Amino acid sequence: MLNFFLKGGPVMYPLLLCSFISLTVIIERLIFWIREEKRRNQKLVDEILTMAEKGNYRKAAEIGRGSKDYIVKVLICGIVHLNFSLSSALEMAAAEEVKRMKKYLSILDTMITMAPLLGILGTVIGIINSFELLGSAGIEHPQAVTSGIAQALITTATGLAIAIFTLIPYNYFLSKTDEAISNMEKYGTSLEIVFEKNRKKANFSCEK
C-alpha cells in the first residue's frame, strides 16, 4: 500500500488530505444523524398538536420545552410567537434546523469535485515527466515511459475513488435533510391549519 502511494508522486499527499477530510466529515455527519434519530419523539409531536387543536397553546409549549426533537423545536418556536407571526416563526426555526443539517456538506461537495481534478493534475504531471524521459532515454527504452504513465494514472484512480466514496454518503445526507425538511413543513402546516381553525371558531363565537 505504501509502495502504491509513493508511486503516485507528490500529488498523492493532497489526495490523502482530501480523503482524511472527507472521512472526518462523513463520520461527524453519521454521528449527527444517529443522534437526531434518537431525539425524535413522534408521541410528543402528536401531543403538542392535540393541545394546540384544543386551543391550549400554553400547555403545548410547556410539554415541548426542552425537547431536542427538531420538529418539536420548530413547533414550539411557532407557538411561542403565535400572536406575532406564526408562519415567520416556523420558517425561522426550520431554517436554523436545516442549517444544522447541512453543516459541512459543502466540504464534501468540494472534495467530490477537487479529488478527481487533483488526480488528473497528477496524471498530467506524470505524463509530462514520461515524455521528458522519452526524449532523454530514446525509443530504445519504451518500458521506462510506459512505467511512468502507469504510475501517473495512480493519481487519477485515487482521485476518482475518493470522489465516488464521498458521493454516496453525501447524497445520503442530502436525502436525510430533504426528508427532515418535508417533515418540518408537514407539521408546521398542520399547526398553521389548527391555529386558523381555532381563530375562526373564536371569531364566530364573538359574532354570535
Side-chain angles (χ1 to χ4, degrees):
M1 192 68 181
L2 180 61
N3 188 42
F4 178 84
F5 178 84
L6 294 174
K7 279 183 178 180
V11 178
M12 291 295 286
Y13 291 97
L15 283 172
L16 179 64
L17 180 62
C18 286
S19 66
F20 177 76
I21 292 171
S22 291
L23 185 61
T24 302
V25 173
I26 289 167
I27 293 171
E28 191 278 336
R29 288 290 88 186
L30 278 173
I31 294 170
F32 170 83
W33 280 111
I34 291 170
R35 188 173 63 242
E36 289 301 307
E37 288 298 321
K38 286 182 178 179
R39 287 174 173 175
R40 287 283 291 112
N41 191 340
Q42 186 58 45
K43 184 180 178 182
L44 182 58
V45 172
D46 294 336
E47 285 179 9
I48 289 170
L49 289 175
T50 301
M51 288 292 138
E53 197 167 0
K54 292 177 181 177
N56 197 345
Y57 298 111
R58 181 176 293 180
K59 181 67 174 177
E62 285 176 2
I63 64 174
R65 190 171 286 115
S67 173
K68 298 294 184 180
D69 185 338
Y70 62 87
I71 293 176
V72 173
K73 287 195 283 185
V74 170
L75 293 178
I76 295 306
C77 183
I79 290 170
V80 168
H81 299 91
L82 205 62
N83 297 323
F84 299 97
S85 178
L86 173 60
S87 59
S88 296
L90 289 171
E91 287 175 10
M92 179 184 68
E96 283 299 313
E97 294 304 311
V98 171
K99 185 179 178 182
R100 284 195 316 116
M101 292 169 184
K102 288 188 173 180
K103 192 177 181 181
Y104 304 130
L105 289 190
S106 59
I107 295 175
L108 289 184
D109 191 26
T110 301
M111 293 302 105
I112 290 167
T113 304
M114 184 182 290
L117 291 177
L118 282 172
I120 292 170
L121 175 63
T123 297
V124 170
I125 292 171
I127 289 173
I128 290 170
N129 291 335
S130 294
F131 277 110
E132 286 180 353
L133 185 62
L134 178 64
S136 59
I139 202 163
E140 295 85 9
H141 304 283
Q143 62 272 22
V145 179
T146 55
S147 175
I149 293 174
Q151 289 180 16
L153 291 173
I154 290 174
T155 56
T156 296
T158 304
L160 288 173
I162 293 169
I164 290 167
F165 288 108
T166 303
L167 183 62
I168 295 169
Y170 173 74
N171 284 332
Y172 171 74
F173 298 140
L174 280 183
S175 68
K176 292 291 289 182
T177 303
D178 289 340
E179 182 184 348
I181 291 171
S182 178
N183 285 331
M184 286 186 284
E185 287 177 350
K186 173 185 171 183
Y187 291 106
T189 302
S190 296
L191 181 61
E192 287 183 287
I193 291 171
V194 165
F195 176 69
E196 285 299 314
K197 190 190 295 183
N198 289 340
R199 191 169 62 86
K200 286 179 180 179
K201 277 183 184 178
N203 291 339
F204 183 72
S205 298
C206 290
E207 288 174 5
K208 277 188 171 184

